[in-house]
Amino acid sequence: MQTAVFARNPALRGYWYAVAQSSDVAPGPLAVTVLGEPLVLWRMADGALMAARDRCPHREAPLSCGQMVDCGLQCPYHGWTFGASGACVRIPSAPPERAIPPTARLTTIHATECYGLAWVSLDPPVADIPTMGYDGDTRFRRITTPVEVWQVSATRMADNFMDIAHLPYVHTGTIGRAQDACDPPLTLEPLDDIFYGYRYSIEANNPEAARLTSGSQAPVVARWMTTGFVLPFAIRSTIRFATGLEHILLLLSTPIDDVTSYFTFVVWCNDDFSVPADEVVAFDRRIGLEDKTMLENIPGVLPLDVAATASVQADRPSLAWRRQFAALLQGKALGQAPH
Ligand code: FES
Ligand SMILES: [Fe+2]
């Protein structure tokens, strides 16, 4: 049995977490769990996204097992129905002239939509969803991908997504070149006002399936890249190819609990928009599956004390994330302040 070590930490409750594609909540209800807390998502008749604790105030039935009706979200147990503010608007077993008790109200949660995803924040948000400048750039299109459940701690996912030394080993079926060591530069810096990380270039295999992304027919291509993070679990990788194509990934991990997580990624790319979106991200999804397969073999939470695991210089990017994440849990958010 894994001891809870971070998912219940109050310091994490005021951040936005991606939990579903917007299209998954149509109109709901949809059950999700964030930081150990069961939630229900749904849409009101005007399309507004709503979220609440997945517990009816009457006898604690899960609202996610209910249904949408004209005036709101109806509980499956006794049919109480909750409107836009979370207040109960209908109790079928009570005469209509009887006042609805003020305690008949859902505990609503902050919910919003961004980049084609539904996001929630359990407490009043203390930070914005990371800004992706590419989103307003007409040269780029945005592609969302399904939200998956990984049997992996979000701590191990963030550590992995900041790391490139695993490429020649984990990604041999896609971009990894087993003959090349990946040795990242040692300089970590603010990549912009949002993300903190490093700039580097690699030689990557460019099999048939990767050629939509690279725009090149060459068997091996250079990728000029940056990889950076925003606490707690957002990682951005930017890739530029010699062809002028750019491929930007926002990798999002959301703790369901300490050892289980949602994973999704959003892509921005400046191709000619002619290829179906699913085909553009198919290769990225294969790369993601290689990471998932590796990480699901590693039990438990990544130790947050950096001294608890051996590290080398190539681990500096992931150690930077780990130190800042540990500081956040201790109530000492460092922002972009480095190491
Ligand atoms: S438990 Fe929801 S209406 Fe009774
Ligand atoms: Fe990877």
Side-chain angles (χ1 to χ4, degrees), residues 71-135:
C71 52
L73 173 58
Q74 185 182 67
C75 178
Y77 198 174
H78 309 90
W80 292 23
T81 304
F82 301 88
S85 65
C88 183
V89 293
R90 183 166 182 265
I91 296 180
S93 59
E97 63 277 12
R98 185 80 51 84
I100 292 174
T103 51
R105 163 176 286 280
L106 301 181
T107 308
T108 54
I109 302 293
H110 300 266
T112 192
E113 292 179 86
C114 187
Y115 309 143
L117 299 171
W119 303 68
V120 297
S121 178
L122 297 180
D123 282 350
V126 297
D128 294 330
I129 293 169
T131 301
M132 298 292 285
Y134 311 89
D135 206 56

Side-chain angles (χ1 to χ4, degrees), residues 6-7 18-19 33-35 147-158 161 233 252-264 292 296:
F6 73 93
V19 293
T33 299
V34 175
L35 301 174
V147 176
E148 303 173 346
V149 175
W150 288 18
Q151 301 302 321
V152 181
S153 173
T155 55
R156 295 201 185 278
M157 295 161 75
F161 300 152
F233 299 110
L252 299 166
S253 308
T254 294
I256 295 172
D257 56 32
D258 282 315
V259 293
T260 315
S261 309
Y262 297 118
F263 171 70
T264 191
K292 176 174 184 275
E296 287 191 336

Side-chain angles (χ1 to χ4, degrees), residues 14-305:
Y15 290 90
W16 288 105
Y17 298 99
V19 293
Q21 288 187 285
S22 286
S23 55
D24 294 334
V25 196
L30 177 73
V32 299
T33 299
V34 175
L35 301 174
E37 192 147 329
L39 306 176
V40 56
L41 267 61
W42 75 99
R43 286 186 194 283
M44 297 303 297
D46 65 358
L49 181 71
M50 301 284 296
R53 293 184 69 185
D54 194 9
R55 193 175 72 182
C56 180
H58 181 218
R59 290 296 180 270
E60 303 186 324
L63 279 306
S64 59
C65 297
Q67 62 176 343
M68 300 311 302
V69 295
D70 280 350
C71 52
L73 173 58
Q74 185 182 67
C75 178
Y77 198 174
H78 309 90
W80 292 23
T81 304
F82 301 88
S85 65
C88 183
V89 293
R90 183 166 182 265
I91 296 180
S93 59
E97 63 277 12
R98 185 80 51 84
I100 292 174
T103 51
R105 163 176 286 280
L106 301 181
T107 308
T108 54
I109 302 293
H110 300 266
T112 192
E113 292 179 86
C114 187
Y115 309 143
L117 299 171
W119 303 68
V120 297
S121 178
L122 297 180
D123 282 350
V126 297
D128 294 330
I129 293 169
T131 301
M132 298 292 285
Y134 311 89
D135 206 56
D137 186 332
T138 54
R139 295 171 301 160
F140 287 80
R141 62 166 157 169
R142 183 183 70 214
I143 304 171
T144 57
T145 63
V147 176
E148 303 173 346
V149 175
W150 288 18
Q151 301 302 321
V152 181
S153 173
T155 55
R156 295 201 185 278
M157 295 161 75
D159 180 80
N160 171 272
F161 300 152
M162 287 300 296
D163 169 62
I164 61 169
H166 71 281
L167 262 58
Y169 296 92
V170 170
H171 295 301
T172 48
T174 53
I175 55 173
R177 291 169 51 74
Q179 65 272 43
D180 292 347
C182 275
D183 185 14
L186 300 181
T187 307
L188 287 150
E189 59 184 340
L191 298 172
D192 50 33
D193 290 342
I194 313 248
F195 290 89
Y196 181 76
Y198 61 117
R199 302 169 195 274
Y200 57 105
S201 62
I202 60 167
E203 296 283 302
N205 276 348
N206 190 45
E208 186 71 34
R211 294 179 183 173
L212 279 179
T213 306
S214 66
S216 169
Q217 299 299 312
V220 176
V221 292
R223 291 175 161 223
W224 288 274
M225 301 185 63
T226 72
T227 294
F229 67 87
V230 174
L231 291 175
F233 299 110
I235 312 287
R236 184 192 68 185
S237 272
T238 70
I239 308 164
R240 186 167 49 81
F241 297 96
T243 55
L245 286 185
E246 293 182 63
H247 200 76
I248 319 301
L249 298 114
L250 181 62
L251 309 171
L252 299 166
S253 308
T254 294
I256 295 172
D257 56 32
D258 282 315
V259 293
T260 315
S261 309
Y262 297 118
F263 171 70
T264 191
F265 66 95
V266 186
V267 168
W268 287 262
C269 60
N270 63 344
D271 66 346
D272 63 8
F273 302 6
S274 63
V275 177
D278 284 352
E279 292 179 34
V280 174
V281 296
F283 191 65
D284 294 319
R285 295 187 70 186
R286 277 178 52 191
I287 296 171
L289 181 59
E290 290 174 326
D291 286 317
K292 176 174 184 275
T293 302
M294 179 70 249
L295 294 175
E296 287 191 336
N297 286 320
I298 310 176
V301 175
L302 178 70
L304 296 180
D305 174 3

